[in-house]
């Protein structure tokens, strides 16, 4: 990222690794930002010579040893052959909105804030930052970070938040299969990806699943099936086109043949008034979206009628056996795959709960990545649509677009 600027000034960039392991477990985004702040400054303020990027381990006997026994304290340095700094200038370098020389801003631009940010990033990673420099002899800016030993090609996805919940839920899943296997469930949602994820979870629980894309279709199916093979339970999305979940539930409750069918709301709204609206419409319970397998299992155990209990092996009931759908890419000792590389990149995205997503699909990384791709494709126009709707004052349409997202 700094090579082009360095080449334009005929500066040589040298990378030096002083026996630091290649594979480490840490925050690559913060490390990249901190190093980039230092390296870009080095290129900016160096007229001739070169720049060295060095990484080394801080000995455990040093005053600033790592705080955890299994952690390594790694020191990153960026050394330049520039003009260097006086002791007074070096002391001001990491202060907010200050630079070593007031003429720097006029000559090179910038505020020096990048160095302050680097110190903060280092502190967030359990380290610190500083500078050693002598006037006329160049500068060496450094920061440290606590990192843990890693292993090539083996990202520990199972340790991500939410993934362990999925594995711990095997016992609950076995209980649902034993008590309610074969139960007839209707899943109602206007979102294709939501339907597929929900179907996947319900099928894994041994349930028979029918689907509908809006409330009107759901009511018609409930009425029709009531005379043949009645639904044991309905999972109903709240906001849908044609007819929403509240109106659909009211019509089901008014049915002479299907009025007692348990209806559980699927809702992304956690407000008290939304829960009251569900209860007023005759909903038995509500499940938060996105659906989490543990929460769904508990709701199904509460509301599904018990059928013919089927014995399950003790190991399975205790959750000792991994599900057959667990992707081989996530098992210990598996060879690195293209999926692993993609999942590793996704794990860096703020706000994306990778562990929960994989847990919902029992670690099936192929399906997870496929669903993400389809979700992206089906929502590419939504950003522009939302801006257009808001500009035109079409707030109802904008609300539906935001809800879809």
């Amino acid at each position: 990222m700094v090579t082009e600027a360095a080449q334009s000034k005929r500066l040589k960039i040298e990378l030096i690794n002083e026996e630091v392991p290649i594979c480490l477990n840490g925050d690559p985004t913060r490390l990249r930002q901190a190093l980039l702040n230092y390296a870009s400054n080095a290129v900016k303020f160096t007229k001739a010579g070169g720049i060295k990027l060095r990484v080394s381990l801080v000995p455990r006997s040093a005053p600033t040893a790592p705080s955890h026994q299994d952690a390594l304290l790694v020191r990153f340095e960026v050394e330049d052959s520039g003009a260097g700094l006086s002791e007074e200038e070096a002391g001001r370098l990491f202060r907010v909105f200050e630079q070593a020389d007031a003429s720097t801003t006029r000559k090179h631009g910038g505020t020096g804030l990048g160095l302050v940010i680097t110190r903060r990033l280092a502190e967030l990673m359990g380290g610190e930052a500083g500078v050693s420099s002598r006037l006329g002899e160049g500068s060496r800016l450094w920061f440290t970070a606590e990192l843990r030993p890693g292993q090539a090609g083996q990202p520990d996805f199972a340790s991500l938040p939410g993934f362990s919940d999925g594995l711990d839920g095997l016992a609950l899943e076995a209980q649902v299969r034993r008590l309610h296997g074969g139960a007839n469930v209707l899943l109602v949602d206007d979102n294709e990806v939501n339907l597929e994820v929900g179907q996947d979870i319900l099928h894994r629980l041994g349930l028979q699943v029918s689907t509908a894309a809006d409330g009107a279709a759901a009511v018609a199916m409930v009425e029709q099936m009531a005379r043949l093979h009645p639904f044991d339970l309905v999972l109903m999305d709240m906001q849908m086109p044609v007819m929403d979940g509240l109106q659909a539930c009211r019509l089901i409750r008014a049915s002479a043949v299907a009025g007692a069918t348990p209806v559980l709301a699927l809702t992304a709204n956690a407000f008290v008034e939304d829960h009251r609206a569900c209860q007023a419409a005759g909903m038995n319970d509500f499940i938060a979206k996105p659906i989490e397998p543990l929460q769904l299992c508990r709701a199904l155990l509460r509301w599904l009628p018990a059928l013919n209990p089927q014995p399950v092996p003790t190991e399975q009931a205790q959750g000792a056996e991994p599900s057959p759908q667990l992707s081989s890419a996530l098992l210990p000792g598996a060879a690195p795959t293209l999926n692993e590389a993609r999942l590793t990149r996704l794990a860096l995205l703020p706000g994306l709960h990778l562990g929960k997503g994989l847990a919902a699909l029992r670690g099936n990384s192929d399906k997870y990545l496929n669903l993400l791709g389809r979700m992206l494709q089906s929502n590419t126009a939504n950003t522009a649509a939302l801006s257009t709707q808001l500009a035109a004052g079409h707030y109802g349409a904008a609300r539906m677009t935001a809800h879809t997202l």
Side-chain angles (χ1 to χ4, degrees):
M1 297 173 76
V2 296
T3 299
E4 188 176 347
Q7 287 176 343
S8 70
K9 300 175 75 172
R10 303 193 178 197
L11 300 176
K12 178 184 177 183
I13 295 181
E14 189 177 353
L15 305 178
I16 305 168
N17 180 355
E18 297 183 349
E19 298 185 0
V20 174
I22 292 296
C23 296
L24 294 169
N25 202 340
D27 189 328
T29 304
R30 285 177 178 167
L31 287 171
R32 186 181 297 115
Q33 183 62 52
L35 275 172
L36 184 60
N37 288 344
Y38 278 177
S40 345
N41 271 347
V43 171
K44 184 190 297 185
F45 298 121
T46 303
K47 292 182 179 179
I51 294 153
K52 295 178 181 178
L53 278 70
R54 180 183 290 105
V55 59
S56 59
L57 291 178
V58 176
R60 288 198 168 273
S61 57
T64 55
S67 59
H68 300 286
Q69 186 61 33
D70 60 340
L72 301 174
L73 190 62
V74 183
R75 179 181 172 104
F76 298 86
E77 298 177 355
V78 177
E79 181 181 353
D80 65 55
S81 56
L85 303 168
S86 67
E87 188 175 342
E88 181 187 355
E89 290 170 339
R92 296 203 309 266
L93 201 59
F94 285 91
R95 294 181 191 171
V96 179
F97 296 117
E98 284 203 34
Q99 292 183 321
D101 186 339
S103 65
T104 300
T105 300
R106 292 193 300 271
K107 186 175 181 181
H108 296 284
T111 61
L113 187 58
L115 300 182
V116 180
I117 291 172
T118 298
R119 170 169 278 177
R120 180 60 183 144
L121 290 172
E123 290 169 349
L124 289 169
M125 293 185 288
E128 51 189 359
V131 59
S132 59
S133 181
R134 294 183 67 175
L135 203 57
E137 297 182 11
S139 303
R140 179 182 293 180
L141 284 91
W142 58 269
F143 70 89
T144 56
E146 282 196 5
L147 303 172
R148 296 177 187 274
Q151 186 177 356
Q154 296 291 331
D156 188 11
F157 298 117
S159 68
L160 290 169
F163 194 85
S164 58
D165 289 344
L167 297 178
D168 293 341
L170 286 171
L172 271 180
E173 291 189 4
Q175 193 175 357
V176 173
R177 284 193 295 272
R178 183 173 64 84
L179 295 175
H180 307 293
N184 196 17
V185 175
L186 175 62
L187 176 62
V188 190
D189 199 307
D190 63 310
N191 184 283
E192 181 186 350
V193 172
N194 286 348
L195 280 179
E196 185 161 341
V197 173
Q199 276 184 288
D200 188 271
I201 297 173
L202 294 169
H203 281 146
R204 195 168 70 226
L205 296 172
L207 307 179
Q208 299 182 55
V209 187
S210 301
T211 63
D214 61 70
V219 172
M221 290 177 69
V222 169
E223 287 278 355
Q224 180 183 3
M225 294 295 289
R227 297 174 176 83
L228 303 170
H229 183 30
F231 289 112
D232 297 300
L233 182 136
V234 178
L235 294 168
M236 182 82 73
D237 185 29
M238 297 306 299
Q239 290 183 255
M240 296 178 289
V242 184
M243 181 185 292
D244 65 25
L246 295 176
Q247 180 61 21
C249 186
R250 293 189 191 97
L251 292 176
I252 291 172
R253 289 287 171 260
S255 168
V257 291
T261 306
V263 179
L264 310 187
L266 298 175
T267 175
N269 297 332
F271 301 113
V272 174
E273 54 266 31
D274 295 301
H275 294 170
R276 286 176 180 160
C278 292
Q279 293 169 343
M283 301 278 191
N284 298 86
D285 206 345
F286 45 83
I287 297 173
K289 293 174 69 175
I291 297 174
E292 294 188 9
L294 280 175
Q295 185 190 13
L296 177 63
C297 284
R298 293 189 184 105
L300 293 175
L301 287 169
R302 181 179 180 186
W303 294 106
L304 273 175
L307 301 176
N308 298 319
Q310 300 294 323
V312 294
T314 305
E315 295 82 2
Q316 190 177 6
Q318 293 174 346
E321 292 291 330
S323 165
Q325 286 199 14
L326 188 62
S327 170
S328 61
L330 305 179
L331 296 175
T337 66
L338 180 60
N339 278 3
E340 281 195 8
R342 290 169 174 163
L343 292 170
T344 301
R345 291 199 301 273
L346 288 171
L348 301 177
L349 288 180
L352 181 64
H353 300 287
L354 181 61
K356 287 187 176 183
L358 288 169
L361 299 170
R362 187 57 76 240
N364 189 331
S365 56
D366 288 329
K367 175 163 280 192
Y368 179 75
L369 292 169
N370 176 270
L371 289 174
L372 276 186
R374 284 164 50 192
M375 193 189 91
L376 182 63
Q377 289 172 357
S378 62
N379 287 282
T380 49
N382 277 350
T383 303
L386 192 57
S387 299
T388 303
Q389 290 159 353
L390 289 172
H394 299 154
Y395 300 120
R399 190 175 293 112
M400 281 303 299
T401 301
H403 173 74
T404 300
L405 286 170

